[in-house]
Amino acid sequence: MNGPSLALRQRSLGDPSAEFPLFPPLTRGCPKTSTAELAYPVEVDYDYAKVDRTLFEQQPGPDIARWSPLLPPLDAPTLGEGGTPLIEFGDVYIKDESRNPTWSHKDRLNRVTVSAAVACGAPGVVVASSGNHGASAAAYAARAGLPAIVLTGDAPPAVQEFVRSYGAKVVSVPVDKRWPLLRQVVDELGYHPVSNQTVTHTGHPFGPEGYKTIAYELFLQLGTVPAAVFSPTGYAELLYGVWKGFAELRLLGVTDRTPRMFSCETAAGGPHAKALAAGLPAAIVEIGPTDAYGVACPVGGHRGVVAVRDSGGEAVLVTDEDLRKAQRDLARAGLWQELSGAAGLAGRRRLRRDFDGPVVCIATSSGFKDVGVGGERYDVLTDPTLDDLLP
């Protein structure tokens, strides 16, 4: 541990002058600036003047509590999240988040959000998720001794078994029923929500704070600030968290610049691309057919708009074909990623632009979680020859 949390308050992204106490977490967005059509998230503000700059001289490793002064209070035990490798891949670096305890970036978020549930004395946690988020929330809830309810839709069978293995109550419901049911669980049972409840995405206000630690690690692993970061983007909590981490490094005087942030969304939807193109704070879109279910989000949020806009980045739309090629190429280099998890590399390739400095593509989760994985059966060779063994 590197000292207690220096978190002070919650602050609206819609109007920074709108401030609220640190607890309870405002899981339904800013009550002052949000409307029926647009919900603004809140973020956590810190006593930055008290941050010891030697915090950024340590080597990255598992357990994000090493960054505790710049995180909300961590009252839930760790599973060893963070400290993921940075791997050279051609002319880019891959930040491989599949190396986290439940094999996705969501572990960083859930260490923080389940900690909030513990701090609030909640009887359990509830999440609406078809994949990584549900599995991670179930694991961290189990570690903290809390029951978890996971409301899912058409998650792959292997992923559903993964979630159930942690003892979570997994219920498959139609997509349009998930969030009303989640709100009912929160209001009537008192469970702590770790996913979105609002018309445009706000999610849990503490969630992106866990993702900031990726920025801290990248700075230490590279020895500099990357020129650009390409992130798979669904609701943009990851994108915003990484951006905020680099903005804090600059605010603290540890660095003198920040990277350009690129949201990499499926071309079948792309709410942040739509919002940025139209100059809107957030947007909602129709989702077309895609196998990239992890980033196929019809609802965008203001966080993604802020990260791209304020960093001078762009929104990049990628097709399933782009994603499959990136996924194949990563796997051939020993990095098996979920289709959605390859969106960062696919977006970098789609943009085709040179940068003056290192470029990082975040890879978010294991290929084990893809649709159809584990369904194929292979022939047993009863009398194999050497020719059968050759690639």
Side-chain angles (χ1 to χ4, degrees):
M1 296 286 287
N2 284 284
S5 170
L6 295 175
L8 295 174
R9 62 184 69 88
Q10 297 176 87
R11 186 192 302 274
S12 175
L13 276 187
D15 178 2
S17 69
E19 298 180 348
F20 310 91
L22 185 62
F23 285 95
L26 297 175
T27 59
R28 291 180 179 172
C30 175
K32 291 184 180 179
T33 58
S34 298
T35 66
E37 295 77 30
L38 175 68
Y40 282 102
V42 295
E43 64 171 347
V44 179
D45 191 23
Y46 297 84
D47 189 349
Y48 291 110
K50 292 183 178 178
V51 176
D52 185 349
R53 275 48 169 189
T54 62
L55 188 66
F56 302 102
E57 295 176 2
Q58 62 185 319
Q59 291 302 307
D63 187 353
I64 61 172
R66 65 186 54 244
W67 313 109
S68 56
L70 286 169
L71 294 173
L74 295 176
D75 291 319
T78 185
L79 285 170
E81 67 291 327
T84 57
L86 186 66
I87 299 168
E88 290 189 53
F89 181 82
D91 62 346
V92 302
Y93 290 90
I94 303 296
K95 182 64 167 166
D96 186 6
E97 288 293 290
S98 74
R99 310 293 185 91
N100 279 297
T102 72
W103 314 330
S104 90
H105 64 303
K106 291 291 185 179
D107 293 341
R108 297 181 191 257
L109 176 147
N110 279 297
R111 173 73 188 289
V112 177
T113 56
V114 173
S115 289
V118 172
C120 291
V125 301
V126 59
V127 56
S129 169
S130 292
N132 292 318
H133 193 17
S136 178
Y140 278 83
R143 179 68 173 154
L146 293 175
I149 297 173
V150 180
L151 305 174
T152 187
D154 54 354
V159 175
Q160 290 212 32
E161 287 300 313
F162 188 31
V163 179
R164 292 176 195 276
S165 71
Y166 296 117
K169 177 70 173 181
V170 182
V171 184
S172 296
V173 296
V175 171
D176 62 336
K177 303 291 186 184
R178 266 192 259 174
W179 286 274
L181 190 56
L182 182 144
R183 286 191 288 269
Q184 187 178 2
V185 171
V186 173
D187 293 340
E188 297 184 20
L189 301 181
Y191 274 45
H192 196 75
V194 295
S195 56
N196 190 54
Q197 302 179 78
T198 52
V199 59
T200 53
H201 190 272
T202 59
H204 197 291
F206 292 7
E209 304 302 308
Y211 291 141
K212 292 189 314 187
T213 60
I214 294 176
Y216 306 157
E217 290 175 17
L218 287 174
F219 170 68
L220 292 174
Q221 288 169 321
L222 290 169
T224 188
V225 174
V229 176
F230 289 79
S231 174
T233 301
Y235 291 131
E237 290 169 301
L238 172 64
L239 180 79
Y240 180 77
V242 175
W243 161 242
K244 183 177 179 181
F246 280 115
E248 286 179 334
L249 290 173
R250 182 176 60 182
L251 174 68
L252 292 166
V254 177
T255 69
D256 60 0
R257 61 190 184 281
T258 56
R260 298 175 67 185
M261 302 296 299
F262 293 85
S263 68
C264 303
E265 303 175 80
T266 172
H272 298 92
K274 178 179 178 179
L276 287 157
L280 299 171
I284 300 174
V285 299
E286 293 287 334
I287 291 291
T290 176
D291 286 335
Y293 73 94
V295 292
C297 299
V299 177
H302 192 51
R303 288 191 185 100
V305 172
V306 169
V308 172
R309 182 194 65 202
D310 290 0
S311 71
E314 294 180 34
V316 185
L317 296 176
V318 295
T319 66
D320 278 19
E321 182 180 357
D322 296 331
L323 291 167
R324 289 192 182 96
K325 185 176 189 314
Q327 183 188 46
R328 284 195 303 270
D329 291 347
L330 286 168
R332 296 299 182 268
L335 302 168
W336 187 34
Q337 292 291 318
E338 180 185 349
L339 192 66
S340 299
L345 178 61
R348 168 72 182 101
R349 290 173 166 180
R350 170 67 68 172
L351 194 66
R352 297 177 183 174
R353 183 173 303 162
D354 293 329
F355 294 92
D356 185 18
V359 173
V360 172
C361 300
I362 300 175
T364 51
S365 62
S366 168
F368 154 76
K369 300 176 182 180
D370 260 336
V371 175
V373 170
E376 188 171 350
R377 294 293 180 267
Y378 299 93
D379 294 335
V380 176
L381 300 179
T382 56
D383 191 18
T385 67
L386 287 178
D387 287 340
D388 294 322
L389 307 182
L390 296 175

